[in-house]
């Protein structure tokens, strides 16, 4: 109780100590203005209340309840996501307890900068926006302190995009109390998923909290599991690619001597090249575990290129053979001699001979290539489906995970 009255007196006088409660690592610059511990104008009890409560040989236990209300702006190209959270912190500070028989108050509200509160830093944060820049602290009669912090932050996330657009990723938010040691402070965490809207591309299907072991600096982590609904990507990426591949297969039914077939194939190839260039910009890239769709669309490009080249080469060979047949001398006398030797051929044999002579070897090769091409396209679809179901890839640990922000160095 002796420590609480100087705080109330200073609060009523408008005393204020300004220093950042929590800040994010990244683009925002933060500055701290610390109160002097040797300021003679500040009562000694008030100075002691700004220090972390002494819990004897055990560290001070701070209970943290994390409420996640929204996750938005999931950007797989930048590997970032934005989220809205509410942190409810509570701990016991016996120095602030009082006797209700002498002072009939069950609780008092104080400015957060007038007593000790844990200073938190989000390791993955690019920026942090706190809704209340001057939150109030509630102190109960038994010394229990409660502090609520609402924030919006943008953080980095190592998305696992091997099975994009049906990817599942785990994103972490690591809160560190850099001004204290693990011997002074310990966190006990709980998480609550309060997201009620599912009308978005990425949804949070699991939420967990943990306290990493063997840390020099007290910290806790919030792990969110994200799942891609994939509807937008399927409509924008997979459907056009499969439609172009089916159109290319149907183009093989056109006769080889038709002039429209070459123009049809070249048009499909040029259209897919434009689609592929925009596709590369839409799909994310990574140093490891790139999306399987990148390899799939590259194989489709090679198939379309092979089909177009086959059409151009065999059509050129067919045109050359037709020009050679027209320029060769006609064997008319020998034909007349054969007519005199065989004056009465069977009428049913003539159509077969004429039909067999109309199909040249380039046309035969084109028909064989068409059948092989159809089988190859079907096999590639089944092979890719099998790889999609059974392939697995896990990104390796980052180089900076050896000992950042108070972790114990590896031997």
């Amino acid at each position: 109780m002796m420590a609480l009255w100087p705080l109330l007196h200073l609060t009523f006088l408008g005393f204020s100590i300004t220093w950042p409660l929590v800040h994010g690592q990244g683009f925002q610059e933060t500055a701290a203005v610390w109160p002097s511990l040797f300021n003679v104008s500040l009562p000694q009890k008030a100075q002691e209340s700004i220090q972390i409560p002494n819990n004897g040989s055990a560290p001070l236990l701070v209970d943290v309840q994390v409420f996640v209300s929204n996750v938005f702006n999931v950007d797989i190209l930048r590997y970032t996501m934005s989220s809205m959270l509410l942190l409810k912190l509570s701990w016991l500070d016996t120095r602030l307890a009082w006797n209700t028989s002498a002072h009939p108050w069950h609780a008092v509200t104080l400015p957060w900068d007038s007593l000790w509160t844990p200073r938190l830093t989000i390791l993955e944060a690019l920026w942090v926006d706190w809704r209340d820049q001057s939150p109030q602290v509630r102190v109960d009669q038994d010394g229990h302190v409660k502090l609520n912090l609402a924030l919006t932050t943008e953080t980095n996330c190592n998305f696992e995009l091997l099975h994009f657009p049906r990817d599942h990723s785990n994103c972490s938010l690591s809160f560190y109390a850099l001004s204290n040691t693990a011997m002074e402070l310990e966190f006990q965490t709980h998480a609550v998923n309060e997201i009620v809207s599912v009308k978005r591309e990425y949804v949070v299907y699991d939420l967990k909290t943990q306290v990493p072991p063997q840390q020099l600096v007290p910290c806790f982590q919030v792990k969110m599991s994200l799942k891609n609904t994939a509807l937008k990507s399927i409509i924008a990426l997979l459907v056009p690619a499969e439609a172009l591949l089916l159109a290319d297969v149907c183009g093989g039914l056109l006769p080889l001597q038709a002039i429209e077939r070459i123009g049809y194939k070249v048009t499909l190839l040029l259209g897919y090249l434009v689609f592929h260039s925009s596709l590369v910009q839409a799909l994310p890239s990574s140093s490891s575990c790139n999306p399987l769709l990148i390899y799939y669309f590259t194989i489709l490009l090679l198939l379309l290129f092979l089909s177009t080249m086959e059409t151009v080469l065999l059509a050129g060979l067919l045109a050359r053979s037709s020009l050679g047949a027209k320029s060769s001398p006609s064997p008319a006398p020998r034909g007349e001699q054969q007519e005199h030797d065989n004056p009465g051929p069977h009428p049913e044999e003539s159509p077969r001979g004429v039909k067999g002579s109309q199909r040249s070897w380039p046309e035969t090769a084109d028909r064989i290539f068409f059948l092989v091409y159809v089988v190859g396209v079907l096999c590639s679809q089944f092979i890719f489906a099998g790889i999609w179901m059974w392939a697995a890839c896990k990104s390796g640990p980052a180089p900076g995970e050896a000992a950042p922000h108070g972790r114990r160095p590896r031997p």
Side-chain angles (χ1 to χ4, degrees):
M1 185 61 190
M2 295 301 296
L4 181 63
W5 293 119
L7 293 178
L8 294 176
H9 180 69
L10 293 175
T11 302
F12 295 147
L13 293 179
F15 179 82
S16 177
I17 302 173
T18 305
W19 48 281
L21 179 65
V22 186
H23 66 277
Q25 177 185 6
F27 300 134
Q28 279 192 334
E29 295 184 358
T30 56
V33 181
W34 294 90
S36 175
L37 297 179
F38 305 100
N39 190 351
V40 295
S41 62
L42 187 63
Q44 183 179 1
K45 295 296 182 180
Q47 293 185 24
E48 293 178 355
S49 64
I50 300 177
Q51 307 301 315
I52 184 172
N54 187 6
N55 200 24
S57 60
L60 176 66
L61 184 61
V62 176
D63 184 79
V64 182
Q65 295 183 1
V66 183
F67 298 85
V68 180
S69 59
N70 195 5
V71 174
F72 58 100
N73 289 343
V74 179
D75 193 342
I76 59 176
L77 297 180
R78 298 176 55 235
Y79 286 88
T80 59
M81 55 168 283
S82 299
S83 54
M84 300 176 64
L85 300 90
L86 173 64
L87 304 180
K88 291 187 175 182
L89 295 83
S90 61
W91 62 93
L92 178 63
D93 191 349
T94 56
R95 300 172 302 179
L96 304 180
W98 70 86
N99 189 359
T100 55
S101 59
H103 305 281
W105 295 336
H106 295 286
V108 294
T109 302
L110 300 175
W112 61 272
D113 52 4
S114 61
L115 70 161
W116 178 89
T117 54
R119 295 197 311 133
L120 302 177
T121 299
I122 304 178
L123 177 64
E124 299 86 358
L126 301 179
W127 53 263
V128 180
D129 182 21
W130 299 92
R131 296 185 183 180
D132 191 356
Q133 299 296 329
S134 299
Q136 300 294 311
V137 180
R138 178 186 174 90
V139 182
D140 294 335
Q141 60 183 6
D142 55 356
H144 279 92
V145 184
K146 299 178 181 179
L147 174 63
N148 297 333
L149 301 173
L151 67 143
T152 302
T153 179
E154 183 180 26
T155 56
N156 288 319
C157 179
N158 295 324
F159 296 108
E160 297 292 343
L161 300 174
L162 180 69
H163 293 92
F164 176 85
R166 299 293 299 175
D167 52 290
H168 298 253
S169 302
N170 295 320
C171 300
S172 299
L173 277 72
S174 304
F175 293 82
Y176 283 84
L178 299 179
S179 59
N180 301 106
T181 64
M183 303 297 295
E184 298 175 336
L185 181 62
E186 181 181 349
F187 291 107
Q188 181 180 357
T189 59
H190 312 277
V192 179
N193 190 349
E194 290 190 334
I195 301 176
V196 297
S197 176
V198 295
K199 295 182 178 180
R200 60 197 66 218
E201 186 175 3
Y202 279 86
V203 295
V204 179
Y205 66 92
D206 192 16
L207 182 65
K208 297 179 180 179
T209 60
Q210 70 173 7
V211 178
Q214 297 180 355
Q215 299 290 322
L216 298 179
V217 175
C219 69
F220 65 91
Q221 289 181 338
V222 180
K223 290 190 174 183
M224 292 179 283
S225 299
L226 303 180
K227 179 174 63 176
N228 194 348
T229 56
L231 179 61
K232 176 182 176 181
S233 300
I234 290 176
I235 296 176
L237 301 178
L238 291 179
V239 173
E242 293 295 333
L244 285 174
L245 184 61
L246 180 60
D248 181 70
V249 172
C250 294
L253 299 175
L254 295 175
L256 186 61
Q257 62 270 18
I259 304 177
E260 294 82 4
R261 178 171 170 176
I262 297 179
Y264 180 82
K265 292 279 188 175
V266 172
T267 302
L268 284 180
L269 181 60
L270 293 178
Y272 188 80
L273 284 174
V274 175
F275 172 75
H276 191 270
S277 63
S278 60
L279 181 69
V280 172
Q281 299 178 0
L283 288 178
S285 60
S286 174
S287 58
S288 62
C289 300
N290 283 296
L292 290 175
L293 283 185
I294 294 180
Y295 307 102
Y296 176 70
F297 290 132
T298 303
I299 293 175
L300 291 188
L301 177 62
L302 295 178
L303 288 175
L304 290 176
F305 178 78
L306 180 62
S307 175
T308 304
M309 290 299 101
E310 181 270 341
T311 299
V312 173
L313 291 177
L314 292 184
L317 293 176
L318 180 62
R320 282 180 173 272
S321 62
S322 300
L323 292 177
K326 291 180 181 180
S327 61
S328 61
S330 177
R334 187 176 179 182
E336 293 177 358
Q337 183 179 0
Q338 291 180 354
E339 289 179 1
H340 290 294
D341 295 338
N342 302 314
H346 297 285
E348 63 273 9
E349 294 179 358
S350 178
R352 292 182 182 179
V354 173
K355 183 177 180 180
S357 63
Q358 287 181 352
R359 176 172 292 182
S360 60
W361 73 267
E363 293 176 321
T364 304
D366 178 68
R367 188 56 49 191
I368 296 174
F369 177 84
F370 174 74
L371 297 177
V372 174
Y373 184 71
V374 171
V375 173
V377 168
L378 294 177
C379 291
S380 65
Q381 302 299 308
F382 286 109
I383 292 174
F384 180 77
I387 294 176
W388 182 275
M389 294 178 60
W390 299 105
C393 181
K394 188 68 175 179
S395 300
E401 289 187 356
H405 294 278
R407 294 187 180 96
R408 295 186 183 277
R410 296 177 181 175

